[in-house]
Amino acid sequence: MSKDNKQDKSGRDSHYATLRRAVRDAKRERGEIPTPPQRRQKSNKDWKPPQLQADQVFLYGLHTVRAALDNPERELIKLSVTQNAFARLDIGEAPALPFPVEFVSPQDIDRILGPEAIHQGVMLETRPLPLRRLEALKDSPLLLVLDQVTDPHNVGAIMRSAVAFGAGAVITTQRHSPTESGVLAKSASGALELIPYIQVTNLADAIGELHQIGFRTIGLDSEGPAPLEDTFVGDRIALVLGSEGKGLRQKTRETVSALARLDMPGAIKSLNVSNAAAIALYATRQHLVRLSLNVSSDSRAS
């Protein structure tokens, strides 16, 4: 092979490698494939998280930060970003933006977020999103209620599914549930900006309030007396899922309209709560779609 041919082949390989990296990075930003762990300096083992104020939230990751910047309800404080990450955000020139922009090194962000945060060179300081009230959800046909689901990674994944299937809100408890944070937002991969995350003091009271505004609440339980699809009634449904391991609390079980199970014919009879949420949301959405089609057919027939 001639020298020119070798150079041409090397150039093509480099070009295709660049394209593959671009596609892979885009998928990671959207949360479609996991981001591999990054090597950190040994000094980070002594990292201690900074003391945050009650109204202070740090979001990180390109997709998460871009979604927050696009959310008009977000109060933005400051964007800390590397030059490369700022170019990838593609949000215009820094002086023209309506919030301060500070150009930093990846190590500067590491010192604030710690060694485990996959920040991709971008960190956004914001205020928490505005609080929402349950009565504002009366026009939503589908809600998701979490009974002390504690892992922010699970809650973030559940948020993604909730947005994908058109749920009106994710409702959870103030205690034993993750607050709005960078870890939650990164796991949600933008979904935190697209769906209300409502934390209530008393879950049983909140379920009772949902009943008053027309929702049928269905608690997911591996020992539920009926398959989920046999418990659907009406055009407003709130699915209630319990914590990792313990499931629904007794008070919650006594308060919901019905208990149901996901029928699983295989050898494994339980799923991670985020997987169970996705399946239950899909089944519920199918019920609501069929119900809407039947109503439309009846209307045309009359």
Side-chain angles (χ1 to χ4, degrees):
M1 183 182 291
S2 69
K3 183 177 180 180
D4 288 343
N5 287 340
K6 288 181 180 179
Q7 289 177 342
D8 289 345
K9 183 178 180 181
S10 175
R12 287 197 300 273
D13 289 347
S14 176
H15 174 68
Y16 290 135
T18 300
L19 291 178
R20 286 195 297 270
R21 282 196 299 271
V23 171
R24 189 166 60 243
D25 288 346
K27 287 184 176 180
R28 283 175 181 154
E29 288 179 30
R30 295 193 298 268
E32 295 175 5
I33 59 176
T35 301
Q38 294 178 351
R39 293 183 179 179
R40 300 294 186 182
Q41 298 177 1
K42 291 183 179 180
S43 60
N44 279 332
K45 67 181 181 181
D46 298 323
W47 174 82
K48 293 182 180 179
Q51 292 293 320
L52 299 182
Q53 301 298 318
D55 64 345
Q56 191 177 30
V57 177
F58 286 112
L59 305 179
Y60 57 86
L62 287 166
H63 193 63
T64 300
V65 167
R66 191 180 291 116
L69 294 176
D70 289 340
N71 185 357
E73 294 190 342
R74 272 285 176 196
E75 183 180 349
L76 310 176
I77 305 303
K78 184 176 71 172
L79 177 67
S80 300
V81 62
T82 65
Q83 291 282 356
N84 181 56
F86 186 75
R88 294 176 68 187
L89 280 174
D90 192 22
I91 55 175
E93 298 297 325
L97 296 173
F99 49 83
V101 177
E102 180 183 12
F103 289 102
V104 298
S105 70
Q107 292 72 28
D108 293 327
I109 300 178
D110 288 345
R111 281 192 283 271
I112 297 175
L113 298 180
E116 302 301 322
I118 310 301
H119 53 71
Q120 299 174 294
V122 58
M123 178 181 72
L124 179 66
E125 182 181 350
T126 81
R127 299 283 183 247
L129 288 168
L131 297 176
R132 303 291 184 91
R133 304 182 72 87
L134 292 180
E135 56 262 31
L137 305 175
K138 59 185 179 181
D139 294 328
S140 301
L142 174 58
L143 302 177
L144 201 56
V145 182
L146 305 180
D147 185 7
Q148 296 190 349
V149 177
T150 58
D151 186 345
H153 298 92
N154 275 337
V155 175
I158 288 169
M159 280 187 174
R160 283 176 54 81
S161 296
V163 171
F165 291 108
V170 173
I171 302 165
T172 188
T173 54
Q174 288 182 350
R175 295 183 62 194
H176 307 295
S177 298
T179 58
E180 185 178 331
S181 68
V183 175
L184 175 64
K186 186 70 163 63
S187 301
S189 191
L192 179 61
E193 311 299 327
L194 301 174
I195 188 169
Y197 182 54
I198 302 175
Q199 294 186 291
V200 297
T201 304
N202 187 298
L203 192 63
D205 290 346
I207 290 173
E209 190 174 340
L210 292 178
H211 293 162
Q212 292 175 8
I213 59 176
F215 280 91
R216 177 174 174 82
T217 57
I218 303 175
L220 271 292
D221 188 288
S222 60
E223 303 298 325
L228 175 62
E229 56 270 27
D230 291 348
T231 61
F232 292 141
V233 176
D235 59 357
R236 290 183 186 173
I237 294 176
L239 297 168
V240 187
L241 289 90
S243 64
E244 306 92 340
K246 294 181 179 179
L248 298 173
R249 290 176 293 166
Q250 185 61 32
K251 182 65 174 177
T252 305
R253 292 166 60 89
E254 295 170 354
T255 308
V256 294
S257 307
L259 290 171
R261 66 179 184 271
L262 294 177
D263 269 345
M264 288 173 274
I268 294 176
K269 299 300 181 184
S270 63
L271 295 172
N272 174 279
V273 64
S274 64
N275 293 332
I279 294 170
L281 284 164
Y282 174 80
T284 308
R285 176 54 62 184
Q286 292 298 104
H287 159 75
L288 294 172
V289 168
R290 287 193 297 268
L291 188 66
S292 177
L293 292 175
N294 289 339
V295 170
S296 298
S297 298
D298 293 343
S299 298
R300 286 195 297 270
S302 60

